[in-house]
Amino acid sequence: MQFGVYGLKPEEKVFFDAWAQNNGVTMNYHTAGLNGQSPADFAGDDAIVALQTVPYPPAAIEAMAAAGVKYLALRNVGMDNVPFPTLAAKGIQLANVPAYSPQSIAEFAVSLTLQLVRNFGYVIQAISAHQYTEAMQRTGKELGTMTIGVIGTGRIGASAVKLFKGFGSKVIAYDPYPNPALKDEVEYVDDLADLWPRVDVIDLHIPGTKENTHLIGAAEIAQMKDGVYIVNTARGNLIDTQALLAGLASDKVAGAGIDTFEFESDVFPQWEKNEAPTNALYEQLLADPRVIMTPHIAYHTETAVENMVEVSLNNAKAFVETGHAPNEVDVQKLAQA
């Protein structure tokens, strides 16, 4: 059995090698993602195990199918970059990793919030310029005095709720499907319009579906408290970046923690080359000391990486051996959505 591994990161390889040795599977490693491959590139592969945040090109899926590869195992949760109609048309089965470490992302979201409310951007900027009195004059806020709005209370959101409550924060939550485990922990609202004006921090933990695109735009920001903080470790399309910049310019928004950027597919190739992104909106956010920008790394802990590798490989192995995987998704249904 042989798996084609795409988008391999250095920190993953030790886990891939250990699993391969324990399971007698050959790994065909590629540091590049799926993009521009021909059928010959998939020769000998029984399944593809991939990780990338940029779109999966339909042509790469078609090349897989032409090579006789029927299984694609993702090493992450998100599938908004997957061309479901192409997978469905070519008979490619798909699996993802539904939860590799909810705690890793929740902790990162809380850490971004802490940096924002304690003015880390300003402080670091001031210290770098040896303006120590400026740094010392920056007055922060305590999370225990603040109300947090958590949007999305699945595994990650639920972990974030518990962390914020550990700081003494009040938490108001929104989710179309409230989490029964949190019924005594948070106040749920039925409409986001009831949440926007009541919270000091908005923390996003929902999928980047078409319906959720620009969940936060100009109209929503106008309903928020003056001086609100916005944290996004979920998907970039949830926030209208132009509206966020306008909110920052007017001081309606006091700060933002952006781990997932709306136009990430534009800047990701430059990230990989250690080049400065040339996207004008990204540059504006990066230049603002009230904004903390990170390159989609909220998930990135040792625990998460190990789980992502092992669960995806177990999915791939199950596909090859049985034709189905524990975390298989309904490609046909998603293609029609």
Side-chain angles (χ1 to χ4, degrees):
M1 194 182 301
Q2 176 176 296
F3 296 161
V5 177
Y6 286 83
L8 177 71
K9 299 180 183 299
E11 63 275 17
E12 294 179 308
K13 193 169 183 300
V14 62
F15 301 118
F16 271 110
D17 288 344
W19 188 95
Q21 184 174 0
N22 291 336
N23 290 271
V25 176
T26 300
M27 298 292 167
N28 186 13
Y29 292 126
H30 306 270
T31 57
L34 286 174
N35 187 21
Q37 283 79 18
S38 68
D41 294 313
F42 300 112
D45 292 335
D46 296 296
I48 300 302
V49 181
L51 173 65
Q52 60 194 60
T53 58
V54 298
Y56 288 90
I61 304 302
E62 292 167 356
M64 283 175 53
V69 180
K70 299 186 294 182
Y71 309 117
L72 174 59
L74 305 183
R75 302 201 295 281
N76 62 317
V77 180
M79 298 180 292
D80 51 299
N81 58 342
V82 176
F84 294 112
T86 306
L87 265 67
K90 295 298 180 179
I92 303 291
Q93 292 172 252
L94 179 72
N96 71 343
V97 182
Y100 36 85
S101 179
Q103 189 74 6
S104 66
I105 299 173
E107 287 182 4
F108 199 87
V110 174
S111 74
L112 284 177
T113 305
L114 286 166
Q115 292 179 70
L116 293 172
V117 302
R118 296 304 296 269
N119 300 303
F120 267 43
Y122 279 117
V123 169
I124 292 171
Q125 183 183 72
I127 291 174
S128 298
H130 303 295
Q131 298 298 311
Y132 301 102
T133 55
E134 164 67 14
M136 291 186 284
Q137 289 168 2
R138 288 285 168 184
T139 304
K141 295 178 171 62
E142 297 177 15
L143 285 186
T145 68
M146 306 178 80
T147 301
I148 315 296
V150 175
I151 301 177
T153 54
R155 295 180 180 94
I156 299 170
S159 294
V161 165
K162 293 174 183 177
L163 290 170
F164 280 120
K165 288 186 69 67
F167 282 94
S169 303
K170 177 180 179 180
V171 178
I172 299 174
Y174 170 81
D175 195 308
Y177 306 98
N179 189 332
L182 298 178
K183 65 179 181 178
D184 298 324
E185 300 290 325
V186 302
E187 173 191 348
Y188 273 101
V189 295
D190 296 324
D191 194 312
L192 282 169
D194 297 327
L195 181 144
W196 303 133
R198 297 178 58 193
V199 300
D200 303 296
V201 176
I202 294 165
D203 182 29
L204 299 172
H205 296 294
I206 55 174
T209 60
K210 290 180 182 178
E211 295 76 16
N212 289 336
T213 295
H214 288 184
L215 184 82
I216 294 179
E220 290 73 27
I221 290 174
Q223 298 174 53
M224 297 175 188
K225 276 188 178 183
D226 291 342
V228 68
Y229 297 92
I230 300 173
V231 175
N232 187 10
T233 57
R235 279 294 184 265
N237 69 312
L238 300 177
I239 297 177
D240 180 340
T241 306
Q242 293 275 19
L244 175 61
L245 285 165
L248 288 161
S250 68
D251 292 326
K252 180 73 174 183
V253 178
I258 304 297
D259 184 56
T260 51
F261 175 60
E262 183 178 5
F263 306 104
E264 195 163 293
S265 60
D266 292 344
V267 301
F268 191 83
Q270 293 166 308
W271 286 347
E272 287 190 311
K273 297 176 184 176
N274 291 319
E275 296 175 353
T278 54
N279 180 284
L281 300 180
Y282 189 91
E283 290 178 331
Q284 289 180 61
L285 289 171
L286 195 62
D288 193 326
R290 298 169 298 172
V291 179
I292 307 251
M293 299 286 286
T294 51
H296 206 136
I297 56 172
Y299 73 94
H300 209 223
T301 64
E302 291 178 0
T303 299
V305 171
E306 182 176 9
N307 290 342
M308 291 165 73
V309 169
E310 292 192 354
V311 173
S312 63
L313 289 172
N314 288 335
N315 282 332
K317 188 170 184 282
F319 266 144
V320 176
E321 291 180 341
T322 71
H324 294 284
N327 300 298
E328 185 174 356
V329 299
D330 190 337
V331 169
Q332 297 294 333
K333 181 180 178 179
L334 291 170
Q336 298 168 8

